[in-house]
Amino acid sequence: MKVYGSQICSGCRNYKAVQQSRGFEADYVDITASTANLREFLRLRDQDPIFDSVRERGGIGIPFFVNEDGRRTLDMNEALSWIGQEPVREEELTNTPSSCSVNSCV
């Protein structure tokens, strides 16, 4: 699984905390670490209909999850189910989302 996110997003920090505490592997792409990473994410964001409502609301759309089989989602629990993980428990969350939902900064 590939995950697009940024440390400036509370939903992404929550995802990273869950990943670290559970110890599963995923390819994390910090979209604010380089222009190449940002361009890679924007190519997906600008073309994928999953982001239509995100763009309409002026959101970013992270964390964004892409499964090896091509499935895509903005929902952390759905993405975790792809890799056989249980849904997130409230006590696993380290950051209370401000302008984000529990699952994403959308």
Side-chain angles (χ1 to χ4, degrees):
M1 176 170 68
K2 186 179 262 192
V3 183
Y4 294 88
S6 172
Q7 284 301 308
I8 60 175
C9 166
S10 61
C12 299
R13 291 191 304 270
N14 278 328
Y15 162 77
K16 291 291 285 182
V18 170
Q19 180 188 24
Q20 184 175 27
S21 71
R22 295 184 182 190
F24 61 85
E25 293 293 321
D27 181 16
Y28 187 83
V29 179
D30 185 336
I31 66 169
T32 56
S34 71
T35 54
N37 289 355
L38 181 58
R39 284 186 185 123
E40 179 181 333
F41 172 70
L42 289 176
R43 272 193 299 276
L44 295 168
R45 185 182 181 275
D46 291 347
Q47 297 174 12
D48 196 319
I50 197 170
F51 291 103
D52 288 349
S53 64
V54 172
R55 286 190 305 269
E56 287 173 11
R57 291 189 316 270
I60 299 168
I62 54 174
F64 176 56
F65 305 89
V66 181
N67 197 12
E68 293 174 355
D69 65 8
R71 288 180 288 176
R72 298 171 179 197
T73 189
L74 294 164
D75 184 280
M76 185 182 341
N77 286 324
E78 180 181 351
L80 290 174
S81 74
W82 298 339
I83 57 172
Q85 293 286 316
E86 296 293 321
V88 175
R89 296 178 311 277
E90 193 68 34
E91 62 269 13
E92 291 181 286
L93 302 177
T94 59
N95 296 277
T96 304
S98 52
S99 62
C100 306
S101 71
V102 170
N103 285 322
S104 61
C105 293
V106 292

